[in-house]
């Protein structure tokens, strides 16, 4: 029978729009406006899940985001999503949901045998079992636990949907769109302030939709929709339904998750599935309401046991009856509303059981509907197979009787939803009268109103909300007419209830935390075993963990512990909450930035040309660099790099060096600044000359290196390594602004301004000569090694030409404005064709620099000094520079420190590996014998065997000695000869050719 | 004699896709006609620079994050004592009494306009672009999802111009197109 | 966290790079090695107000001296580091 529990009328669902969905493969119908939970309720489905540990049958406990039980798997395939709360999932046509944590089926779950073994699964079971023997962990225990435990299954294909991140600013952020939030938003919005109203529900109004009041002569739900309509008409008010504020961060920053398309089968074209907002608010009004608490009693987790407020919500908002014959069990007068709602919906109220003594409002409601009224007694247990069929009521004298029913509406009082007030470490305070935690120190700029502040009355919600909204706007400089509290009927009841926390008679498991299967007995065990503070209680029993973070259970667990230990609740501790308030998918936090768009990609000027050449690229930081340029028939990268190197060393090659950091330095104190940051002198550098420079950190370790050219008296052009460009720029600004503020010098990044190509090889001068315009002389005399000049190329394009070499060959670097970079590389290749030019990539360069013994990233590793790098003599004794003092420390000046030298295998066919450590021949494989380590290795085409660079203790004094390169990780132990780090042209004759 | 070199934008359709929209909510274009230069005042010569800019271009150098334009030339505040000089067409800023570095090739300038430009930018740029906070003539140095940008608003359409390091231009274009797709973006190179 | 750059206004912390203690001063070139060792390595770890250097790295490139309460992240003042450094220099000279 379809929708057997749907009421004939009422509710805020659209009965004209039926929606068909499936639960565990069974086709069911609901209406637009339903949640999955309300549609299941309307169809009389009570059993919806199996519990985490004992696999007990579970139903729907709540009607909101605090739901611990009714977690389902939604959608299928790549969109399959586990642990979706059925109570917040909006129904859409074709929705597929499946119960989880059961096998083979929900009604017949074999894992429920865990219940029989439940003594083994008590609190802390994972600390006690599966411990010995340790050998069984990996093979037996872990796979076993993994199969049995956990909630739901993640999708096993990539998420096909997109996500978005966005930033929003407002004067007033209102969190929660119940009566207090609506009043606050309207009071603030009417002033003209920029207001954002966020609510996790798709229908704004909170309890105005879930409960029945008469407001200004209309239903409370229509009053809510009229306020929402006015808010929508205000241009500076932004409404964010389906949006949960997930975190409060320093400086008035709030995280918010907007479920843009979760209510659709698939997102509309180009629409994100979810959007993660960073909201920057000058003021915030917290109007998150309160969360109802269950009462522990035996089998209080049976499907059909539901919180009273949720029962009202299903009846009033969704026109769905969670049961036909109800028992209401409460410790406060607020449950009177549920009694009234049940009666109004035509449900039978079999009994009203009040744990307190005589209390008028609830009892009045019971009498009015003719229900059996019991007070001063508690429910000992619920009974039934897979769903509730009655309760056993106990009295103080041990007597008891049964009341048959198919629904138990429970209200153990309310806990203000103050989680967000904890996020900046504000500790809540316990209120004895309300038996609840109230906000303590609130985040700066936040006002808490209505039920979230323990002001449960509807009138209080409107009054405190309106006042806070107006005040918040006022403090931002906006004033308006505010919001007048409307005429209300009836005046709501007090909602606070104190206990009973602990069932007087123990019959069956009495659950505190439904999601983690933590029972009253587990809390008692935790106390007995000495885990009595709230933090220990949480870790030992897992109370308050997982997706619901104990929203319905924390206070009960704490109160139980207090009762057991005879302490007060504040003395037992407080539960603190951290972001996120409700679970947030990692995808939403990443937004659009995933896969290849995870980080930006920087393209050098030759990129499009290199693509045309079929280059294989390598990511270097954010840069895409051509690694090598395969030619027809070439498959192996080393074969290709070898061919490129051989061409450079015998003819000529071209390489895009534009990714190097380039900094333009100008000003009367430019030379002074350079002398302070480099170990060597630059004031003495002649105009039109370049010099290699080494920078240290203040602790004496090498930071970066590069060449700097003096373009004019007060004008230098610095290059840095690709990886450190931004860091060096920041360092220079640090020196200029903080260390030596008197300096008159300016740095500007010109990395992207210039396309800079290295043209290297014995024929490079011929190529360059073919490119420069008439009248410019590039001969060795006019432009010697380490010379630089400004000229024009290719018919008037201004360029800078440097006689620099990283490859060790006769070489130039030619820089042109980046817009000409694409044309320039084509022109260079064309001009080089007669000389046999080939482009070379980062792999060839990396090998050639090892052949020349140039230090790079693996050598400038943050642990090496200038002396270690063999540049001790470069360090000026005549001037102060950053790192000078610390580089002179005894430990760093120790002559036994490992220094940079070269290595070649004694067996020339052997392969060298970076990371190997050097041990003396015949010494044991012990750390005590360690003499240094290999940093860079390569197969050298120029030498015909593997070569390496590394740091060896007293290495420069040990030329010709044989040591072992020991690499236990890769089972390597080979003999290597200590040699000069310069494997090609050690005299540097080619550079100066 | 080699052939003359052809100037090229940093953008190509395969890395910076074009999208046509009939009634676009946001329009994305590249400004390829701008001359750009970083200008920084030397110590004690700030007034000399201000005078030179005033007499050459009729522009009062801004000292707050704003952009002051006159005719084809504008000066955009770029940090204390620093500006980005812009001009439509070729203008030689190197004669100014200051540290001047040509940036015409160092930056690509993207123009983002239309009634949904603001919300498109809000997915990448974390500063407040609401008209109460940022308006025509305002400028900011900030970032677009970690890419350094220098942006300014030129009119109330609104139109924003975003100067970005050239090597990042394709990525920024792509990210803007992605964000703009749900908002009806018209992106044309 | 948000930091009020004296030049650019309030910006998210993701625009800034943290450097460290602003209360230490680089010793003069001729200072003893121990003075440099203190400067490089020795730091107080106050629970409360802490003067620290930040760079507005994804903004105007200014170095800033931020006075921040390490317990609450509340920021008391933000000054341009160059102004603080110039004041320090002129103080040392007078």
């Amino acid at each position: 029978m379809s929708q057997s529990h749907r009421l004939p009328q009422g509710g805020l669902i659209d009965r004209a729009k039926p929606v068909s969905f499936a639960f565990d493969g069974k086709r069911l119908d609901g209406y637009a406006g339903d949640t999955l939970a309300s549609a299941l309720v309307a169809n009389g489905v009570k059993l919806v899940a199996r519990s985490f540990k004992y696999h007990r049958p579970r139903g729907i406990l709540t009607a909101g985001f605090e739901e611990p039980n009714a977690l389902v798997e939604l959608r299928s395939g790549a969109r399959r999503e586990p642990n979706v709360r059925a109570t917040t999932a909006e129904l859409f046509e074709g929705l597929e949901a499946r119960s989880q944590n059961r096998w083979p089926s929900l009604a017949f779950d074999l894992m429920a045998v865990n219940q029989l073994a439940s003594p083994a699964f008590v609190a802390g079971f994972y600390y006690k079992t599966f411990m010995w023997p340790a050998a069984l962990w990996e093979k037996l225990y872990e796979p076993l636990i993994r199969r049995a435990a956990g909630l739901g299954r993640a999708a096993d294909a990539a998420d096909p949907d997109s996500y978005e991140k966005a930033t929003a600013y407002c004067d007033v952020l209102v969190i929660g769109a119940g009566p207090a939030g609506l009043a606050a938003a309207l009071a603030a919005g009417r002033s003209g302030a920029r207001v954002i109203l966020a609510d996790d529900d798709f229908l704004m109004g909170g309890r105005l939709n879930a409960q029945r009041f008469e407001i200004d002569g209309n239903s409370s739900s229509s009053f809510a929709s009229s306020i929402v309509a006015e808010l929508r008409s205000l241009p500076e008010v932004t409404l964010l339904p389906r949006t949960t504020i997930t975190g409060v961060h320093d400086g008035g920053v709030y995280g918010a998750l907007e479920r843009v398309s979760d209510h659709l089968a698939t997102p509309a074209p180009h629409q994100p599935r979810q959007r993660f907002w960073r909201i920057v608010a000058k003021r915030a009004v917290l109007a998150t309401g309160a969360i109802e608490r269950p009462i522990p009693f035996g089998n209080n987790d049976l499907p059909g046991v539901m919180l009273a407020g949720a029962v009202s919500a299903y009846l009033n908002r969704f026109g769905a009856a969670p049961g036909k014959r109800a028992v209401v069990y409460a410790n406060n007068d607020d449950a009177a509303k549920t009694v009234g709602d049940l009666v109004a919906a035509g449900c039978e109220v079999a009994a009203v059981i009040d744990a307190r003594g005589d209390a008028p409002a609830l009892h009045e409601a019971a009498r009015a509907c003719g229900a059996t009224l019991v007070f001063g007694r508690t429910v000992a247990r619920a009974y039934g197979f897979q769903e509730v069929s009655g309760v056993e009521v106990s009295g103080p004298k041990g007597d008891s009787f049964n009341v048959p029913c198919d629904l138990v509406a429970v209200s153990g009082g309310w806990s203000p939803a103050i989680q967000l007030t904890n996020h900046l470490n504000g500790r809540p305070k316990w209120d004895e009268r309300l038996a609840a935690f109230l906000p303590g120190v609130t985040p700066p700029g936040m006002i808490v109103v209505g039920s979230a502040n323990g002001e449960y009355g509807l009138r209080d919600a409107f009054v405190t909300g309106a006042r806070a909204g107006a005040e918040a706007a006022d403090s931002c400089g906006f004033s308006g007419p505010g919001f007048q509290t409307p005429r209300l009927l009836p005046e709501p009841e007090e909602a606070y209830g104190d206990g009973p926390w602990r069932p007087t008679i123990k019959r069956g498991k009495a659950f505190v935390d439904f999601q983690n299967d933590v029972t009253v007995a587990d809390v008692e065990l935790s106390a007995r075993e000495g885990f009595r503070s709230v933090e220990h209680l949480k870790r030992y029993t897992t109370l308050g963990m997982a997706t619901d973070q104990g929203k319905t259970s924390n206070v009960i667990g704490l109160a139980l512990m207090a009762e057991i230990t005879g302490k007060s609740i504040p003395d037992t501790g407080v539960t603190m909450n951290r972001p996120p308030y409700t679970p947030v998918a990692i995808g939403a936090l990443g937004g659009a930035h995933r896969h290849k768009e995870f980080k930006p990609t920087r393209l050098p000027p030759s990129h499009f040309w290199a693509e045309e050449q079929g280059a294989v690229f390598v990511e270097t930081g954010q840069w895409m660099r051509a690694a090598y340029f395969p030619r027809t028939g070439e498959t192996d990268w080393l074969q290709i790099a070898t061919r490129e190197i051989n061409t450079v060393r015998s003819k000529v090659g071209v390489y895009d060096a534009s990714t190097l950091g380039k900094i333009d330095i100008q000003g009367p104190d430019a030379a002074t600044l350079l002398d302070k940051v480099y170990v060597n002198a630059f004031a003495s550098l002649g105009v039109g000359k370049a010099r290699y420079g080494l920078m240290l950190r203040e602790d004496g370790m090498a930071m970066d290196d590069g060449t700097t050219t003096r373009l004019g008296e007060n004008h230098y052009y610095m290059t840095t390594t690709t990886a450190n460009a931004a860091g060096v720029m920041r360092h220079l600004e640090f020196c200029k602004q903080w260390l030596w503020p008197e300096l008159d010098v300016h740095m500007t990044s010109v990395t992207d301004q210039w396309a800079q190509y290295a043209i290297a090889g014995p024929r490079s001068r011929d190529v360059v000569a073919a490119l420069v315009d008439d009248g410019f002389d590039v001969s060795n005399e006019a432009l010697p090694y380490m010379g630089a000049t400004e000229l024009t190329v290719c018919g008037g394009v201004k360029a800078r030409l440097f006689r620099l070499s990283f490859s060790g060959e006769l070489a130039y670097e030619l820089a042109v404005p980046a817009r000409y970079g694409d044309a320039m590389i084509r022109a260079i290749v064309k001009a080089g064709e007669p000389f046999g030019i080939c482009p070379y990539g980062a792999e060839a360069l990396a090998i050639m620099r090892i052949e020349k013994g140039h230090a790079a990233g693996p050598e400038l590793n943050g642990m090496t000094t200038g002396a270690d790098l063999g540049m001790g003599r470069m360090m000026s004794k005549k001037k102060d520079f950053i790192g000078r003092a610390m580089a002179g420390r005894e430990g760093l000046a120790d002559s036994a420190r490992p220094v940079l030298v070269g290595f070649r295998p004694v067996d020339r066919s052997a392969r060298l590996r970076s990371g190997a450590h050097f041990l003396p021949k015949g010494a044991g494989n012990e750390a005590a014998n360690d003499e240094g380590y290999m940093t860079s290795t390569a197969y050298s085409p120029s030498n015909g065997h593997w070569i390496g660079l590394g740091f060896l203790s007293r290495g420069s004094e040990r030329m010709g000695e044989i040591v072992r390169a020991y690499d236990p990780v890769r089972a390597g132990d080979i003999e290597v000869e200590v040699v000069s780090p310069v494997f090609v042209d050690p005299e540097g004759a080619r550079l100066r050719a | 004699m080699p052939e003359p070199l052809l100037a090229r934008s940093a953008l190509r359709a395969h890395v910076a896709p074009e999208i046509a929209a009939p009634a676009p909510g946001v329009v994305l274009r590249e400004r390829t006609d701008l001359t750009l230069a970083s200008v920084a005042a030397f110590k004690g010569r700030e007034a000399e620079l201000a005078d030179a800019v005033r007499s050459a271009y009729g522009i009062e150098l801004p000292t707050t994050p704003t952009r002051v334009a006159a005719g084809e030339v504008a000066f955009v505040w770029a940090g204390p004592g620093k500006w980005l000089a812009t001009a439509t067409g070729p203008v030689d800023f190197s004669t100014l009494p200051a540290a001047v570095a040509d940036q015409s090739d160092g930056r690509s300038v993207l123009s983002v306009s239309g009634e949904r430009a603001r919300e498109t930018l809000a997915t990448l740029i974390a500063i407040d672009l609401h008209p109460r906070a940022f308006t025509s003539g305002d400028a900011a140095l900030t970032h677009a999802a970690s890419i350094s940008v220098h942006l300014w608003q030129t009119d109330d359409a609104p139109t924003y111009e975003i100067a970005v390091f050239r090597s990042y231009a394709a990525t920024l274009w792509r990210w803007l197109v992605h964000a703009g797709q749900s908002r009806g973006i018209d992106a044309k190179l | 966290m948000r930091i009020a750059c004296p030049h650019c206004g309030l910006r998210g912390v993701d625009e800034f790079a943290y450097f460290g203690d602003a209360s230490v001063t680089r010793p003069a070139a001729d200072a003893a090695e121990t003075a440099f060792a203190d400067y490089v390595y020795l730091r107080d770890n106050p629970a409360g107000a802490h003067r620290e250097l930040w760079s507005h790295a994804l903004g105007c490139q200014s170095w800033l001296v931020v006075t921040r309460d390490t317990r609450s992240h509340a920021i008391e003042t933000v000054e341009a580091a160059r102004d603080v450094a110039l004041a320090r220099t002129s103080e040392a000279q007078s």
Side-chain angles (χ1 to χ4, degrees), chain A residues 481-685:
Chain A
F483 170 83
Q484 306 309 315
T485 302
R487 192 163 44 80
L488 305 175
L489 278 174
E491 287 290 338
E493 314 299 341
E494 293 285 24
Y496 39 90
D498 185 2
W501 309 110
R502 202 176 181 190
T504 43
I505 297 173
K506 286 168 195 160
R507 305 282 305 275
K509 289 186 193 303
F511 284 89
V512 179
D513 184 326
F514 291 77
Q515 190 165 90
N516 292 294
D517 272 353
V518 179
T519 64
V520 172
D522 288 327
V523 178
E524 289 168 342
L525 178 71
S526 178
R528 276 203 306 280
E529 300 198 339
F531 300 100
R532 297 180 170 201
S533 85
V534 66
E535 299 299 337
H536 288 147
L537 172 66
K538 175 172 181 175
R539 271 102 197 145
Y540 195 62
T541 64
T542 68
L543 189 147
M545 292 188 181
T547 68
D548 72 338
Q549 288 288 295
K551 290 188 174 66
T552 56
S553 63
N554 279 337
V555 170
I556 301 171
L558 194 58
L560 272 170
M561 184 58 82
E563 201 171 296
I564 293 163
T565 56
K567 286 186 184 170
S568 70
I569 286 176
D571 284 346
T572 306
V574 295
T575 49
M576 293 289 282
N577 295 272
R578 285 175 291 273
Y581 182 45
T582 55
V584 179
I586 296 289
L589 295 176
H593 304 289
R594 57 178 189 168
H595 303 310
K596 284 187 188 300
E597 306 296 352
F598 179 68
K599 58 180 170 37
T601 304
R602 301 182 74 175
L603 302 180
S606 68
H607 182 77
F608 303 117
W609 167 84
E611 280 182 331
E612 290 169 25
Q613 305 308 306
V616 173
F617 294 93
V618 59
E619 287 175 39
T620 310
Q622 297 176 336
W623 287 100
M624 286 293 273
R625 291 204 297 185
Y628 45 91
F629 295 84
R631 286 188 175 166
T632 316
E634 290 178 332
T635 49
D636 176 61
W637 73 268
L638 184 56
Q639 176 196 12
I640 300 162
T642 299
R643 190 250 309 148
E644 291 173 5
I645 292 167
N646 289 336
T647 307
V648 171
R649 299 231 183 272
S650 65
K651 297 171 191 163
V652 58
V654 59
Y655 173 80
D656 189 347
S658 307
T659 63
L660 291 177
K662 310 181 200 79
I663 301 172
D664 182 270
I665 303 174
Q666 294 185 46
D669 294 324
T672 311
L673 178 73
L674 289 172
D675 274 355
K676 288 178 183 294
V677 298
Y678 278 129
V679 302
N680 46 335
F682 279 79
S684 58
L685 184 68

Side-chain angles (χ1 to χ4, degrees), chain A residues 288-344:
Chain A
T288 38
I291 296 166
E292 200 165 18
R293 297 193 289 251
I295 302 176
F297 55 85
N299 304 330
N300 61 337
D301 62 330
L302 263 184
V305 178
M306 186 182 274
L307 292 173
V311 171
S312 288
Y314 288 117
L315 293 168
N316 300 326
R317 175 170 167 185
F318 299 105
K324 307 217 159 156
R325 180 179 155 89
V327 164
V328 177
Y329 177 33
N331 64 2
N332 64 82
D333 280 346
D334 192 52
K337 290 205 285 284
T338 303
V339 173
D341 293 334
L342 283 163
V343 173

